[in-house]
Amino acid sequence: MPVPAPSIPGRSRRRSRPGTQLVVGAVLIALVALVALVSLVWTPYDPVATVASDRLQFPSAAHWFGTDRFGRDVFSAVMVGSQITLIVGFIAVGIAVIVGVPLGILAGMRPGRLGDVIMRGNDILLAFPGLLLAIVFGAVFGAGTVTAMVALGIGSIPAFARVARSGTLQVMKTDYVFAARAANRSEFRIALRHVLPNISGMIVVQCSVNFGIAVLAEAGLSFLGLGTMPPTPSWGRMLQESQQFLGSHDYLAIAPGIAIAVAVLGFNLLGDGLRDRFDPKMRSSR
Amino acid sequence: MARRLLSSLGQFLATLLVATALIFVMLRVMPGDPAVVALGINATPEALAQWRAEYGTDQSLAVQYLQWMGGLVRGDFGMSYVTSQDLSPLIADRVQVTLILVGLSMVVALLVAVPLGVLAAVRHRHPSGVALAGISQVGVAVPNFLVGVLLVAVFAVHLGWFPSGGWVAPADDPVQFLRRLVLPVIALGSVQAAIITRYVRSAVLEIMREDFLRTARAKGLTKGAALVRHGLRNAGVPVVTIVGVQLAAMLIGSVVIERVFVIPGLGSLLVDSVGNRDLLAVQAIVAVLVLLVIVINLLVDLAYTVLDPRLRKAA
Amino acid sequence: AGSSSGGSDAPSDAVVIGLTGEPVNLDFTTTSGAAIPQVVMNNVYEGLVTIDQEGELQPQLAESWAVSEDGTVYDFALHDGVTFSDGEDFTAADAVFSIERVQSDAWLNGTKSKMDVVESVEAVSDTELRVTLSRPSNAWLFDMGTYVGAMFSETGVDDLATKPIGTGPYTVESFVSGDRITLAGRDDYWGEEPDITDVTLRYFADAVASTNALRSGDVDMVYNMQAPDLMGQFESDEAFQVIEGTSNGEILLSMNNTVAPFDDVRVRQAVMYAIDRRAVIDAAWAGYGTEIGAMVAPTDPYYEDLTDLYPYDPEKARELLAEAGAENISITFDVPTRPYATAVSEIVVSQLAEVGIDASIQSSEFPAVWLDKVFTQADYQMSVILAVEARDVLATFNNPDYYIGYDNSKIADQVIAADSGTPEEYVSGMKEVVRTITEDAASDVLFLFPNLVVAKAELGGIAANAVTESLVLSGLTWTD
Amino acid sequence: MTCTDFAVDVRGLTVSAGATTLVDDVTFRIAPGEKVGLIGESGSGKSVTSLAVMGLLPDTLTTSGSVTVAGSDDNLLGRSDARVAKLRGSAMSMVFQEPMTALNPLMRVGRQVAEIMTIHRTASTSEASRRAVELLTDVGLPNPAESAQAYPHQLSGGQRQRVMLAMALANDPALLVCDEPTTALDVTVQKQVLDLVLRSVTQRGTGLLFITHDLAVVASVCERVLVMNRGVVVEEGPIETVFTRPQHPYTRGLLAASDLTATDADGRLFTIATAAGYDPSRLRAPETSVHEQPVASVVAPAPTPDPTPASAERAASPSPIVSVRGLTKTYVRSRSGLFGRAARVDALRGLDFEIHEGERFGIVGESGSGKSTLLRILSGLDQPTSGEVDVVGTSLRGAKEKDLGELRRSLQIVFQDPMGSLDPRMSVGDIVAEPLLNPANLRSGLAASPAERRRLVAEMLDHVGLPTTSVERFPHEFSGGQRQRISIARALVCRPRVLVADEPVSALDVSVRAQVLNLLADLVDEYGLTLVFVSHDLGVVRHLCDRVAVMRDGRIVETGPTERLYESPTHDYTRQLVLATPTLQHTLEHA
Ligand SMILES: Nc1ncnc2c1ncn2[C@@H]1O[C@H](COP(=O)(O)OP(=O)(O)OP(=O)(O)O)[C@@H](O)[C@H]1O
Ligand SMILES: Nc1ncnc2c1ncn2[C@@H]1O[C@H](COP(=O)(O)OP(=O)(O)OP(=O)(O)O)[C@@H](O)[C@H]1O
Ligand SMILES: [Mg+2]
Ligand SMILES: [Mg+2]
């Protein structure tokens, strides 16, 4: 009452029903995930088999999204493309979380020299945007999906480290951490039992945001020819290839374009929804 | 203030030093002997040896690094292995192109996004506000190269209102320069505008919950006036953050748009140089990009200090 | 440099040409690739002879020439009053300098070997040049019509990379890397001055951007267009003309003859049978392109239609593979990052899969990585490349150290004999050589690459046949 | 200042959020110059009422009824924002609770004050800035001209609240609304600000609506009081009457729970539930009761089951359980946000004291005096900069984490914020069990097995009066008072010898406060604990502790037995503190 409670990261006090953003986002992502799963076992056609006689057919009952210049079924390719999209997102975000979050927690729990060193290193990494890393890594290790996801992952480490650190700093100031220390819990236990669960909300939000970023970046890289290699279908490359059919076979651009937008929109909405749910006060990472 | 500036500067230099070392090491792992790349397929071993001696690639890495750093300090990026051209004027040219493109797009994006974001926040319950928020959400999700491709298809190829791409230096022909910039700036700027609109909206929404805004209203300001007089500058801090982040991302992210619109920017040069295995050029471009990102981060830091007196040290 | 907006309001002496594949510099003596000679040969540099649109030798700086009985001594009579763009006179001494320079260390480009047969060069007078060959050669004079035969000024070779100096009708006015090269007509050109004196070559990273520029009026012609699927749209448009020129470029599905599984001729033959070349042309290049069956362009004197040698026959392919014990093999397929290569590779992979060859695509950046890995180190199994050089069948297969690794023991002597023989012996000998190479399935020539040109309808004099690497600009003219 | 006979007239004000009614049919009227208090527990609807009057309610709430302010003739409810805005700041002004956030952090305070005049065009720009300095002088800001140039973060809480007041008074409003303007302030500062408010409204004849949960404060400021409970005004009348002869049981409950000097038959504080036995008239009683009550309160809550009753005078005990010699603590801040502050903060500047087994030791002092720092050091959560600290036989100077197992077995803490001290992501069972996982405890075999731990937790929860089913639930499912019980259960589950409490009740409503204090007192007795109790509230310390140390600026200025200290403080600062603390008795006597 008299003294305002500090903003405590963690679950919102009111258990409100999930917002529309959260629902729509979750539905869109579920859709993409479902398509990816189904495409593992079934697609209407072999997405890489070329059928010269079927080239450039407009959407029809046989080919819902038409066929490309090799006579491949666009619908099947879009389906399989979702796998690449999700894998790139997962691995990129996974790398960033696995490296960034522990570093951020460490920096937050040891705000002295160690924390400073970590954050300086983080600042340096911040100067290397993911796309830049992806292009350079492509030169060094050969362009491809793996290179792209690793580079994008490394590029997003700073964001996670920052979020984790700022969250940890807040958690470390809370009385429940003092209470845990008064109970002689080890630093490791505190990190595991108190810090991690309480910053997990912010981390999840950040994951969602970075997922969207990774999807867009992969599409951009594939568009440049530096991402996923043919014949594996990738939405970005499909868009790139569709360019010379713009005006005559627009559907070739529309299908992957919408697919990208749906995936990114889904992750962004999910992120916003989760942010509202977890803690509206905890958003800025700076 | 001065101390903060000084320490920012120190950090800036340290970051730069480590970053350049990283770049140097990273690129030494790149496959492909630059001599072979430069001289082509049937070059004789003697020619290769001569080339290596000339370009110093037969020296130890440490020596090469020091030579490179020495050049950097003097603003000399060395000579391209592939084109045998001085890199410094080339890169200077390209940096200019990218900075104009990115800068202009950001200005346009801000001009659009700030009013729209504020509107979306103020009317966050009205249908118009919800619609704005929705549009910006969708805008963020659309890849900018798709926007670019569509703009070219419609406004250049179909309607012929604007050139489909290319670059004319402003000094050569200001009118052509601007005409050619319209579509790429829209492509790059519109997606940025969507991103920034989202941030402005949420920053303003947050500010609208602040006590001091209620105080301002209690002083006799209407909601709108209170927001304009007291809220916007406060909302500026998170917006500056995102503008910094986006600017840094756009420096390299614009490469896709440069490709679509055939603009000779730094990102395109990087991709080309990577393709040509022009080691020194790649190294120089990455260094310049990293420098620019660090400068942007520094400026953002300083902008905080200007915006927010709480971050200034007592004199 | 920036005023070249092209379009209908352009002055009638200006033209903007859209190209893909930018030269890194302008010095073909040290840097390989077709992009440099495309710009400078016949435009900035000229040779003693040149090769016309039909593939015939024509005099250029040499008014005429005479060949000795034994075919080893060439006497050239040079034009008088020819000047280089730096004002120096062109004399026989420059020709001596140029030819000897190819043989010296200054010339680093691999094609210098074409000058190996030259034993001596002498300037008999300012306008008389004598070249003595070590043996008769049918190929040498033809090669003199390509960039190996370019004539340089003794005083003008300091900065070939950016300031080429030749006797041609144009000079390089500016070179904005990543964007454009502008050429200006010379007032003091010795020959007939071209109509178009202001040429801008704009380089596009991707083919669609170049055609977009054509549509929006930014360029007047797209030469060697790399987006064949767009041709249809232009064909139906009155404002444009579409020309399918021939070229010397063969799309070569290279197989490394020295490594498994392609060290087995049966596997190579299986690949030849497995591929439906017509389907490749249709799917990858929108039907533009010609099946030729071997690495000889129809414009070459010793061309022979060998397309029946390996008809599309997947059954046969499977049999051959079974015979070779190579059923269900996996290979890697190094694909250079060029539009034709990626397009071709996708359908080739799909067709190979039909016969049980699982090819996984590995992208190699072109030129650097591809040249290094595939070409120089021959560290590959299968690749695909557009071989643009004229009359390159021997360069490709008559050299076991070449990246193809074809065992040339069967053809080496035949080749010397043919080159040294009479023109008739040359033609029949070469046909024999080519047949042997093809029967051995050294590599699969998928199709002859078309030189697709799209231009504004009013642009005339387009040299659409890319017989050599050069893009001849001097004939261009606006026709209304 | 106007011809109307009221500053504000509120009729049938009802505010609802969707289906729930937050404020129900509230009617009151404040005459010019009249000072009216609005009291009630947290969430009773006080702020909503005041915001409704100011026309500052969020759009999501719907209102009905009427609000008329002097200077406007019609109902403000339902008027456009622009219309009401004209009256805000001119006819009516408001001072908010939180001085930290109520000012725009990016604008110099002088401008913020001047702005209210330029908005209403009561002064030109230059005149307004001049007037702003005058106003800042009026509200007693030191160096007003200089302070006008300061940013809010460069001022202390009290100073900021003065700026708010200067702002509110700038246009001589007919009505001043103050919503808990002093709850975030220290008692001495609170007194200054309250005096200032009183003086200002009296001078200007401004009507005052004063909102607080603190009955003593309202008694010292207001003439008339409205008592609010769940959105309904349950009682209204002159302070005198309402506080001494409350008609409504809720009012009586509030009074009883607020009065820390009164105890029921069992020697326990009254809560709203037990308020029936409370006699409010004692507040009015003559001098004698003031003498009598404190005595009673000391005697009453100390049934002292301890075989060796801890007498304050018994300092000669052989070995103190806590012993502090020359303790200092200096923080080095990387970034100092405060005006002229050096980067080094001397939080503690040489403390010497001892606490004996079984003692209830209170520490009082103002914000920033170092109370929390001291507690953190005593509990081994922070290292002293210099000096010797011995707690339960462990020397804390330079002690490593691993040496502290024993200390942490014997000493536990209860914190101020009932929500912030419980990990929202842990179940109550896990929270309470945490101290049992201390390796020192596990080694001692106190709760080696999970089953044993579960038993101990259940037992403890039962002890603090929480249902056993609580173990499965999470902190957010409990009320503030219940959460503080969880906190206490956690602290006591491993049977410590020393319990350290940092403002454990200052975030609680009076009625809950009484319950928690009763519980603490019971448990301390039952377990024979040594209690170290920190509070800024003298009344609470006085009720609970038998010896008190008064801290100021990192020093202990005075220690002594509670009663002696209160009755005859020797140090100036202690006297100031005692005088500044409003108590119901005092204020009613002087009313
Ligand atoms: N904007 C709102 N929407 C919905 N409910 C609200 C809103 N504002 C306040 N309430 C609810 O109205 C009730 C009264 O709140 P109010 O802030 O007036 O209490 P209060 O008496 O001022 O309490 P405190 O002493 O804690 O300030 C509370 O239950 C609160 O949760
Ligand atoms: N971690 C820290 N770093 C720097 N300074 C600190 C730190 N903790 C406390 N201080 C400073 O030390 C001084 C004493 O703080 P402390 O929290 O002990 O005061 P307190 O008496 O508990 O105040 P309150 O009643 O407001 O809780 C204050 O000036 C405070 O700003
Ligand atoms: Mg309130
Ligand atoms: Mg404290």
Side-chain angles (χ1 to χ4, degrees), chain D residues 528-546:
Chain D
L529 293 174
T530 307
L531 179 68
V532 182
F533 188 97
V534 162
S535 180
H536 66 275
D537 186 333
L538 270 63
V540 173
V541 171
R542 187 179 190 182
H543 164 72
L544 205 63
C545 300
D546 39 38

Side-chain angles (χ1 to χ4, degrees), chain B residues 172-191:
Chain B
D172 289 345
D173 184 347
V175 176
Q176 278 299 322
F177 163 74
L178 288 175
R179 267 173 54 82
R180 269 156 214 275
L181 267 175
V182 172
L183 294 183
V185 163
I186 292 177
L188 203 51
S190 61
V191 174

Side-chain angles (χ1 to χ4, degrees), chain A residues 1-2 181 184 194 197-198, chain D residues 408 423 425 434 438 506 509:
Chain A
M1 187 167 65
R181 288 174 61 199
N184 217 21
H194 295 287
N198 281 295
Chain D
R408 290 181 172 165
D423 187 336
R425 307 240 143 206
E434 208 173 24
N438 178 351
S506 40
D509 263 335

Side-chain angles (χ1 to χ4, degrees), chain A residues 1, chain D residues 17 22 41-49 58 60-61 97 180:
Chain A
M1 187 167 65
Chain D
L22 306 179
E41 278 182 292
S42 183
S44 53
K46 308 186 293 293
S47 296
V48 169
T49 306
T60 46
L61 302 184
Q97 165 177 354
E180 314 235 15

Side-chain angles (χ1 to χ4, degrees), chain B residues 62-257:
Chain B
V63 172
Q64 286 186 47
Y65 176 67
L66 288 179
Q67 281 173 349
W68 183 57
M69 278 310 286
L72 281 193
V73 172
R74 281 175 278 118
D76 173 12
F77 291 114
M79 207 156 80
S80 158
Y81 290 161
V82 179
T83 63
S84 315
Q85 278 180 306
D86 247 352
L87 287 169
S88 306
L90 175 68
I91 289 179
D93 256 17
R94 299 302 194 91
V95 166
Q96 190 196 334
V97 171
T98 295
L99 286 184
I100 290 177
L101 176 66
V102 167
L104 216 57
S105 304
M106 185 49 91
V107 169
V108 169
L110 282 173
L111 288 179
V112 175
V114 170
L116 286 190
V118 172
L119 203 67
V122 172
R123 302 211 172 159
H124 67 286
R125 279 185 227 288
H126 292 243
S128 59
V130 174
L132 265 176
I135 291 170
S136 66
Q137 277 284 14
V138 173
V140 173
V142 177
N144 56 16
F145 51 89
L146 181 60
V147 178
V149 165
L150 294 177
L151 285 176
V152 172
V154 175
F155 292 100
V157 175
H158 244 277
L159 299 173
W161 291 356
F162 296 102
S164 64
W167 178 263
V168 173
D172 289 345
D173 184 347
V175 176
Q176 278 299 322
F177 163 74
L178 288 175
R179 267 173 54 82
R180 269 156 214 275
L181 267 175
V182 172
L183 294 183
V185 163
I186 292 177
L188 203 51
S190 61
V191 174
Q192 289 308 318
I195 295 174
I196 295 171
T197 302
R198 270 178 78 203
Y199 273 85
V200 171
R201 176 177 175 273
S202 71
V204 171
L205 272 180
E206 205 141 290
I207 289 296
M208 279 167 39
R209 285 195 285 264
E210 291 282 350
D211 284 354
F212 64 81
L213 222 63
R214 195 177 55 187
T215 307
R217 292 183 60 206
K219 282 155 92 173
L221 291 172
T222 57
K223 258 187 210 168
L227 192 63
V228 170
R229 288 212 205 176
H230 293 270
L232 291 192
R233 186 158 166 212
N234 278 281
V237 174
V239 173
V240 162
T241 307
I242 190 63
V243 167
V245 169
Q246 288 304 319
L247 272 179
M250 273 161 89
L251 282 179
I252 182 68
S254 66
V255 58
V256 197
I257 286 298

Side-chain angles (χ1 to χ4, degrees), chain D residues 131-199:
Chain D
R131 277 270 292 145
V133 176
E134 270 174 37
L135 282 162
L136 292 177
T137 319
D138 284 355
V139 296
L141 215 60
N143 298 329
E146 225 172 85
S147 301
Q149 293 302 311
Y151 287 99
H153 73 271
Q154 294 167 321
L155 303 177
S156 74
Q159 289 171 333
R160 278 180 243 188
Q161 209 56 312
R162 284 163 201 248
V163 172
M164 283 292 297
L165 196 61
M167 215 145 73
L169 296 173
N171 292 330
D172 289 329
L175 173 70
L176 177 67
V177 180
C178 295
D179 189 356
E180 314 235 15
T182 57
T183 31
L185 304 178
D186 281 329
V187 273
T188 48
V189 182
Q190 164 172 307
K191 186 165 162 47
Q192 294 165 11
V193 171
L194 289 181
D195 289 349
L196 189 64
V197 172
L198 265 181
R199 192 151 32 82

Side-chain angles (χ1 to χ4, degrees), chain C residues 36-165:
Chain C
I36 306 171
Q38 181 178 57
V39 180
V40 291
M41 274 315 291
N42 293 314
N43 299 320
V44 176
Y45 297 113
E46 290 175 319
L48 300 178
V49 294
T50 187
I51 295 160
D52 70 10
Q53 283 284 292
E54 277 64 54
E56 305 290 335
L57 263 178
Q58 300 292 347
Q60 197 166 41
L61 289 171
E63 265 175 336
S64 63
W65 60 90
V67 189
S68 70
E69 198 68 9
D70 64 351
T72 55
V73 181
Y74 285 69
D75 278 304
F76 293 95
L78 307 182
H79 272 289
D80 201 7
V82 176
T83 56
F84 284 102
S85 59
D86 63 352
E88 296 290 318
D89 287 334
F90 167 71
T91 64
D94 293 302
V96 173
F97 166 76
S98 299
I99 292 174
E100 284 177 346
R101 195 163 185 274
V102 179
Q103 294 179 317
S104 78
D105 284 345
W107 189 295
L108 296 170
N109 192 324
T111 47
K112 65 188 292 183
S113 65
K114 292 186 171 175
M115 213 58 98
D116 287 352
V117 293
V118 174
E119 194 173 78
S120 66
V121 212
E122 63 182 304
V124 179
S125 74
D126 267 3
T127 55
E128 288 171 297
L129 177 76
R130 169 168 296 175
V131 180
T132 311
L133 305 186
S134 55
R135 59 168 174 81
S137 170
N138 283 294
W140 178 74
L141 192 59
F142 180 87
D143 290 338
M144 284 302 284
T146 67
Y147 65 89
V148 189
M151 292 296 128
F152 295 91
S153 159
E154 273 185 81
T155 54
V157 292
D158 301 333
D159 191 5
L160 293 178
T162 50
K163 292 192 182 58
I165 291 168

